[in-house]
Amino acid sequence: MRNIALQLMYVGTAYHGWQVQKNAVSVAETLERSLQQVVGHPVKCTGAGRTDAGVHAQSYVANFRTSSRIPCARLPLAVNTRLPDDIVVVQAVEVPEEFNAIGSCLKKEYTYRIYNSRIRNAFYVNRAWFYPKHLDEKLMARAAAHFVGTHDFKAVQSVGTQVRSTVRTVHYFEVARSGDLIECRVCANGFLYNMVRAMVGTCVYAAEGKFSPDAVPEI
């Protein structure tokens, strides 16, 4: 059996996240169904991690095993003709047997965008959080800096997923503004359920003056 890694990009608006679910359409289920048609046997994909409903991916890695001898160079085109327009296989690479998309993942980057203007922008619907009250991105960045490092992030996770440990390492948390768009880029060795959303929300609270940016360590 060959072990194939896929690089994907997808718009998650129509999906309830990556992982297969009983009563909801997911990215993994949609991809597996298309792959099956190409390789001619049932397929199980392992993704680099769970994603929440509505989350998009610019670069997401998954792997699957197959007895098919279709060359990797041909797989993306073959699969993409069977996928909806909002999921794209960018490339396929044969990887060692021991490769596992989630177990081999060292770092993940998540970008949360805020459209910060009194008037919403139609082109950012489902792409950014529309927030009409002006935010001071410098205060947000000051709060964000306190999240960097190895900490127990239990306070910024949502209930719903059982994990062995709530300790994670955040490599960087950058906040930058370009016009009305604020981008919050977080890189970590892994994320808890809704962790980034809660971290960004905490920075927004600090920018609103609800507490000092330097209160984050206590949280």
Side-chain angles (χ1 to χ4, degrees):
M1 295 285 278
R2 299 159 71 207
N3 190 10
I4 307 294
L6 302 175
Q7 180 189 350
L8 315 168
M9 63 167 58
Y10 59 82
V11 175
T13 306
Y15 305 97
H16 284 70
W18 160 263
Q19 60 278 6
V20 174
Q21 298 176 46
K22 290 182 179 178
N23 302 310
V25 179
S26 69
V27 177
E29 176 192 6
T30 306
L31 176 63
E32 288 172 357
R33 190 166 56 239
S34 300
L35 280 168
Q36 250 175 243
Q37 295 173 26
V38 172
V39 300
H41 62 76
V43 166
K44 172 64 179 172
C45 290
T46 299
R50 298 169 68 94
T51 59
D52 300 338
V55 170
H56 316 306
Q58 279 191 307
S59 181
Y60 185 92
V61 176
N63 72 291
F64 73 100
R65 287 172 170 77
T66 180
S67 57
S68 169
R69 304 315 300 172
I70 298 174
C72 286
R74 287 178 51 198
L75 265 175
L77 289 174
V79 178
N80 287 339
T81 59
R82 294 163 173 82
L83 282 169
D85 291 343
D86 50 11
I87 302 175
V88 177
V89 176
V90 178
Q91 66 173 331
V93 180
E94 190 161 352
V95 289
E97 171 63 26
E98 63 271 17
F99 178 86
N100 175 287
I102 190 167
S104 302
C105 182
L106 301 178
K107 295 179 180 178
K108 303 175 184 179
E109 184 184 272
Y110 192 125
T111 300
Y112 199 109
R113 296 184 174 97
I114 302 171
Y115 190 74
N116 188 211
S117 170
R118 290 179 62 235
I119 305 297
R120 69 179 181 272
N121 186 320
F123 284 93
Y124 282 109
V125 173
N126 296 322
R127 298 292 190 281
W129 175 18
F130 170 55
Y131 199 88
K133 184 178 178 181
H134 180 74
L135 294 170
D136 185 335
E137 68 276 9
K138 293 179 181 178
L139 285 177
M140 290 180 66
R142 197 167 123 199
H146 290 293
F147 284 106
V148 177
T150 302
H151 309 287
D152 186 343
F153 287 93
K154 186 176 181 179
V156 286
Q157 72 162 345
S158 294
V159 177
T161 303
Q162 294 296 319
V163 292
R164 279 179 285 184
S165 172
T166 51
V167 174
R168 296 290 186 274
T169 298
V170 171
H171 301 288
Y172 56 79
F173 186 174
E174 300 170 350
V175 179
R177 177 188 285 274
S178 177
D180 291 326
L181 193 67
I182 298 174
E183 286 202 340
C184 306
R185 294 173 63 242
V186 188
C187 177
N189 62 349
F191 297 113
L192 302 168
Y193 183 44
N194 282 345
M195 175 175 157
V196 174
R197 296 184 189 200
M199 288 166 67
V200 171
T202 302
C203 293
V204 168
Y205 281 167
E208 287 181 331
K210 292 184 177 178
F211 51 73
S212 167
D214 300 317
V216 170
E218 296 174 33
I219 295 172

